[in-house]
Amino acid sequence: MQSTYLSRRLFGCTRISFIAAALFFGTLGLAGAAGAQEQPSPQRRIPESPGMAEHAAMPTSLRELVQEAEQKNPQIAASFHAWQAARNVLKQVSALPETQLSVQQFSVGSPRPFAGYSNSDFAYIGFGASQDIPYPGKRQLRAHVAEHEADSMEGQTESVRRAVVGNLKMVYFRLAYIQQTLGVLQKSDMLLTQVQEATEARYRVGQGNQQDVLKAQLQYTKILQEIAHHHQEEGLLEAQIKQVLGRPQESSNIVAETLTLRALPYTAADLSQKAREQNPDVRSKQASIRQQETQVELAHKNFRPDFNVQYNYEHTGSQARDYYMATFGIRLPNRGRQKAELAEAQENQERARQELDAESQRVLSEVQQQYVRAKTSEERLKIYSDGLVPQSEATFQSALSAYQSNRQDFESLLSGFLDVLNLDLEYRSELVEHESALAELERLTGVDLP
């Protein structure tokens, strides 16, 4: 087997049952014909990993895993709590500054408390309250700034959710490929074992040569190596999925569903428009622009003075009257500092605009790339299913028939078998490329493809 084909990419879908059956019955015929003269050696079997025994169990759908990840993934939860925390900033910045209460005691003639209280008009105990009042409109603008920041955080939360779900889909597709092609490789191994026994039987009766036997043994060993590699990849991928889901690593194994081809009902223009409207990263940048625009307006408003009001009540001894005092103060802003604050806000506003433009261009470029990737992959899948795969099957059946009648050498038969196997794996790999592109388009545009 050409190992470079088998190890090129770990992706795929299902398709080898027909040709596997053809090879199985064909090689049985070969083994039976040769066994009439000499019984073949006992068939060697591959030890199955513990995970393979569970592949016959009920598979877990991708939709179920996505729902579990949305509920239990710690990244999504952390981002959600950050958004909720940002929402509580609005009430903080829109509230009046804290009211200050004070108690005063004034002694006369001695530092002792209440000294002179009974014989002096100046000794008193007083109670007061003080309140800062921002210039009208400032609190409302601060609330708008906090509100837009919370909107930006909401977009970031949605972006994190989509990123986690997108990563889960990619790993799930790879796991589906590994588990499905692992079964294909095991079937191929059993078939090659029978082919190897047939060539050994032919060699013993003088109808074959030692080179055919060695080639069959080499191919058998290569498949053993590839199966071991698949077992390793399966374990690694399951560990990644359990991490995303927040499951314990010692929990039961995950069995993926068989991948099927999904259609893309949208045009490139439709997807671009949905990305502009629904992409969370773009929405987050748009909220940042609104935040910075409000911040500029607030910086202009900060040139206006703030106010302070105070009221004090002073109680003296019984021989004197009480005192009442009201104070109104104005806090004048430092214009030099406020000019610098305004300049900072304007620069941040321009920065936010440029970031939005850059993010929009990035998202639209990715949408176009994934659209081209999906459409091209769809065309390749049609070539595989309508051309390459059936042609390779027909070629192999012809070589098998010729080999049975001793009109074809073993190398041609083995080459035909490898073509069928490699094209099957390439078809599966291309199917995952297609589904991965659709998953990326779902992440970028927010559409849910059936």
Side-chain angles (χ1 to χ4, degrees), residues 223-270:
I223 287 189
L224 282 178
Q225 181 188 32
E226 196 64 30
I227 289 176
H229 179 69
H230 273 54
H231 284 321
Q232 174 186 336
E233 286 296 320
E234 182 184 26
L236 296 176
L237 293 172
E238 286 191 18
Q240 293 181 42
I241 291 180
K242 291 176 182 179
Q243 177 188 2
V244 173
L245 300 178
R247 291 186 185 180
Q249 289 297 324
E250 61 273 13
S251 59
S252 59
N253 292 333
I254 299 172
V255 181
E257 288 184 324
T258 300
L259 293 181
T260 56
L261 180 64
R262 294 185 296 169
L264 180 59
Y266 299 99
T267 65
D270 294 335

Side-chain angles (χ1 to χ4, degrees), residues 71-142:
Q71 295 173 1
K72 299 182 179 180
N73 181 267
Q75 287 181 273
I76 295 178
S79 180
F80 174 79
H81 290 301
W83 169 41
Q84 294 301 307
R87 292 179 61 186
N88 286 283
V89 176
L90 187 149
K91 293 182 179 180
Q92 300 177 44
V93 299
S94 61
L96 282 171
E98 289 77 4
T99 301
Q100 299 180 6
L101 300 177
S102 62
V103 177
Q104 294 179 327
Q105 192 275 316
F106 189 78
S107 301
V108 176
S110 173
R112 288 183 303 105
F114 300 101
Y117 187 75
S118 60
N119 54 14
S120 174
D121 293 343
F122 294 100
Y124 68 88
I125 180 171
F127 303 92
S130 175
Q131 177 66 60
D132 290 329
I133 301 177
Y135 191 87
K138 286 187 178 181
R139 288 191 298 145
Q140 184 179 10
L141 288 174
R142 289 169 185 163

